[in-house]
Amino acid sequence: MSDYLSVSHLTKYLKMKIDRDPYLERVYLTGQVSNFRRRPNHQYFSLKDEGAVIQATMWGGIYKKLGFDLEEGMKINVIGRIELYPPSGSYSIIIEKAEPDGIGALAIQFEQLKKKLSEAGYFDDRHKQALPQFATKIGVITSPSGAVIRDIITTVSRRFPGIDILLFPTKVQGEGAAQEVAANIARANQRNDLDLLIVGRGGGSIEDLWAFNEEIVVQAIFESRLPIISSVGHETDTTLADFVADRRAATPTAAAELATPVTKADILSWIAERQNRAYQATLRQIHYNQERLVKLSSSVIFRQPERLYDGYVQKLDKLTTSLTNKMEYQFSQVKQAQAMLTQRLLSLDLGGKINRYQERLAIQEKLLKSHMTSQYDSKLARFEKAQDALLSLDTNRIIARGYAMVQKNGKVLSSSKDISKGDKINIMMRDGRLDVEVIESVK
């Protein structure tokens, strides 16, 4: 019986052999992910190929640092150690490092994060902000020692001198770069003197540009109050910052041109054009008003102003006649009523009451005549005053008082500045007109 081993002894022996075997302490495997279901912490799944399956375990700390998401059916390369689990007699690989097979982990992570953010709406056009047409101060988030800031300063100074550029010195590569980029975007948004932000760096590998693929940077650009132009890498390089930014520029020079869409020369040309248009419009208005003035100066109304009130005089005469007729009619009606009433009272032989009533009627008749006469006199006085004011404008009456009126080409002159030597002018006097030629003009 002593030649037989228990299952436990055999399992312990195999575990000891596996643990001490140097070839099994670090194993490199290629396999396809199977039976994967994401768990809150540690991940348990299988790796398989055409002929075999092995159980795999990835501790939570390793999984968080993986940089990409495991997916069912994904082929991966792993490094780990083999371990035997005595209670079940099964063995598995404890994964210490993993990466996708055939394509880099960063590329997988890029596509996965791009898909996630796209589905969340981060790249939708409805979130894009318009760039300002006339920026006065531009913030630049980049390395202070790179060529990006020099290219931007040179281009902006050439296109639109006078625009201020504020540099936010930022680490753009390596550990902590993403956090610094996001922090400076937030810091720039706290200022009230910036119109626009340019975020960028020069070209490089996907690893060099990775800070601009981090979710923290994408989130900061998405939440920015200021419009952002992304200029990361060269023309062929694409980062997630390019997708979420309001505009993407292939180079720092292109970013500066987007930030200054209108040059100073364009603005000066635009102002000159508007100035000329305003001048021409004003000139046309002046000529129009001059033509109207000439027409009005030669109008019969200004030579015979009484025509202005001829219609009103006729209307007043009609109203006066109508008022007089109405007053006479009402007065005759009252007299007839009085006579009839007197006859009735006499027939009743009321004596003294009739006399008193007649006296009251006489008083009322007198008051009525006085009131109507007062209204008529008031309206007549207003009319006569207006008539006198209009007559004072009659040039014929003015000339009749001993004045003269000087005209040139049918236009009344009011100043000697309007007369030059050799001009032929007309002088209107009370008893006739003189046509004269100016020998000398003293001003």
Side-chain angles (χ1 to χ4, degrees):
M1 295 293 293
S2 60
D3 294 334
Y4 292 87
L5 294 175
S6 66
V7 174
S8 296
H9 281 93
L10 177 59
T11 302
K12 288 179 181 180
Y13 174 76
L14 293 174
K15 178 174 174 53
M16 180 184 65
K17 295 291 287 185
I18 290 174
D19 290 344
R20 294 180 180 181
D21 190 334
Y23 292 103
L24 300 178
E25 288 180 353
R26 196 166 188 81
V27 178
Y28 296 77
L29 286 183
T30 296
Q32 189 176 12
V33 176
S34 179
N35 297 322
F36 178 77
R37 180 173 59 85
R38 183 177 299 176
R39 292 172 171 79
N41 195 5
H42 310 307
Q43 306 301 318
Y44 303 95
F45 54 96
S46 302
L47 285 177
K48 68 177 183 178
D49 57 18
E50 294 82 359
V53 177
I54 183 174
Q55 299 301 312
T57 299
M58 184 180 292
W59 306 125
I62 301 297
Y63 183 70
K64 290 179 181 179
K65 297 178 182 179
L66 197 58
F68 65 96
D69 291 332
L70 290 174
E71 296 177 356
E72 182 72 20
M74 178 185 289
K75 191 175 183 180
I76 60 175
N77 299 323
V78 302
I79 302 174
R81 55 186 175 82
I82 301 298
E83 183 177 86
L84 188 145
Y85 184 58
S88 63
S90 61
Y91 75 101
S92 63
I93 181 170
I94 308 299
I95 298 176
E96 298 172 351
K97 186 176 181 181
E99 65 178 17
D101 180 56
I103 184 171
L106 291 179
I108 289 290
Q109 186 176 355
F110 177 88
E111 293 299 330
Q112 290 178 344
L113 185 55
K114 178 183 175 183
K115 180 180 179 182
K116 170 188 171 183
L117 296 174
S118 179
E119 291 175 350
Y122 279 68
F123 308 147
D124 291 353
D125 289 339
R126 58 192 176 94
H127 297 307
K128 306 294 185 184
Q129 301 184 71
L131 302 183
Q133 186 175 12
F134 301 105
T136 58
K137 194 168 188 177
I138 301 172
V140 181
I141 296 176
T142 189
S143 171
S145 59
V148 173
I149 185 62
R150 293 196 300 272
D151 290 347
I152 291 175
I153 292 174
T154 300
T155 304
V156 171
S157 300
R158 171 177 55 81
R159 287 176 59 83
F160 210 123
I163 292 182
D164 294 329
I165 297 176
L166 178 62
L167 173 65
F168 292 84
T170 308
K171 183 179 181 180
V172 293
Q173 180 178 336
E175 186 177 354
Q179 288 74 15
E180 198 165 325
V181 171
N184 278 338
I185 291 175
R187 189 174 298 115
N189 274 271
Q190 294 175 356
R191 301 178 64 101
N192 296 321
D193 57 342
L194 293 177
D195 303 307
L196 178 68
L197 283 180
I198 298 177
V199 178
R201 57 151 291 155
S205 64
I206 188 172
E207 290 84 2
D208 295 336
L209 306 179
W210 192 252
F212 297 91
N213 290 321
E214 295 281 2
E215 188 170 357
I216 187 176
V217 172
V218 175
Q219 187 72 31
I221 295 176
F222 182 78
E223 294 176 351
S224 173
R225 172 184 57 84
L226 297 170
I228 292 182
I229 299 174
S230 173
S231 177
V232 180
H234 298 303
E235 187 170 358
T236 56
D237 298 321
T238 304
T239 64
L240 297 180
D242 296 330
F243 289 106
V244 72
D246 299 296
R247 293 291 293 274
R248 189 245 177 181
T251 62
T253 299
E257 290 175 349
L258 286 174
T260 54
V262 180
T263 66
K264 191 171 184 178
D266 294 334
I267 293 179
L268 292 176
S269 175
W270 181 85
I271 292 174
E273 180 187 356
R274 295 301 186 278
Q275 186 179 27
N276 182 61
R277 289 173 62 181
Y279 172 77
Q280 294 297 332
T282 304
L283 196 61
R284 286 194 297 271
Q285 188 65 33
I286 291 174
H287 289 163
Y288 171 74
N289 290 334
Q290 286 178 337
E291 292 175 358
R292 287 192 62 196
L293 181 60
V294 170
K295 291 179 180 179
L296 291 173
S297 299
S298 59
S299 174
V300 68
I301 293 177
F302 282 90
R303 288 186 281 107
Q304 298 179 1
E306 63 273 8
R307 294 193 178 188
L308 288 171
Y309 57 84
D310 281 349
Y312 294 101
V313 172
Q314 295 176 1
K315 185 176 180 180
L316 180 61
D317 288 341
K318 291 181 179 179
L319 291 174
T320 302
T321 302
S322 175
L323 178 63
T324 302
N325 293 337
K326 189 173 182 179
M327 290 172 61
E328 290 177 351
Y329 174 76
Q330 290 180 346
F331 184 69
S332 65
Q333 291 292 104
V334 170
K335 287 187 69 175
Q336 291 178 9
Q338 179 186 359
M340 292 177 62
L341 185 58
T342 301
Q343 292 297 328
R344 289 179 62 187
L345 291 173
L346 288 173
S347 65
L348 294 175
D349 193 20
L350 297 178
K353 291 183 179 181
I354 295 176
N355 294 331
R356 288 194 298 272
Y357 181 72
Q358 288 178 333
E359 291 175 358
R360 289 174 60 188
L361 287 178
I363 293 173
Q364 289 180 355
E365 179 180 349
K366 184 177 180 180
L367 290 174
L368 178 61
K369 286 183 177 181
S370 175
H371 177 69
M372 298 180 74
T373 302
S374 175
Q375 285 188 333
Y376 176 77
D377 291 343
S378 174
K379 290 182 179 180
L380 183 62
R382 288 175 59 189
F383 169 74
E384 290 175 347
K385 183 177 181 181
Q387 186 180 33
D388 292 340
L390 285 172
L391 288 174
S392 66
L393 299 175
D394 189 348
T395 54
N396 294 328
R397 292 174 179 266
I398 295 174
I399 293 173
R401 293 202 299 270
Y403 294 95
M405 182 171 65
V406 181
Q407 292 182 320
K408 175 182 173 183
N409 297 327
K411 179 181 178 181
V412 177
L413 303 181
S414 60
S415 173
S416 62
K417 295 180 180 179
D418 298 329
I419 305 175
S420 302
K421 181 179 180 180
D423 286 349
K424 293 182 178 181
I425 60 176
N426 312 116
I427 302 176
M428 306 296 296
M429 304 184 70
R430 179 176 60 184
D431 54 352
R433 189 181 79 175
L434 298 178
D435 297 330
V436 302
E437 181 177 345
V438 178
I439 298 176
E440 184 178 358
S441 175
V442 180
K443 301 178 182 178

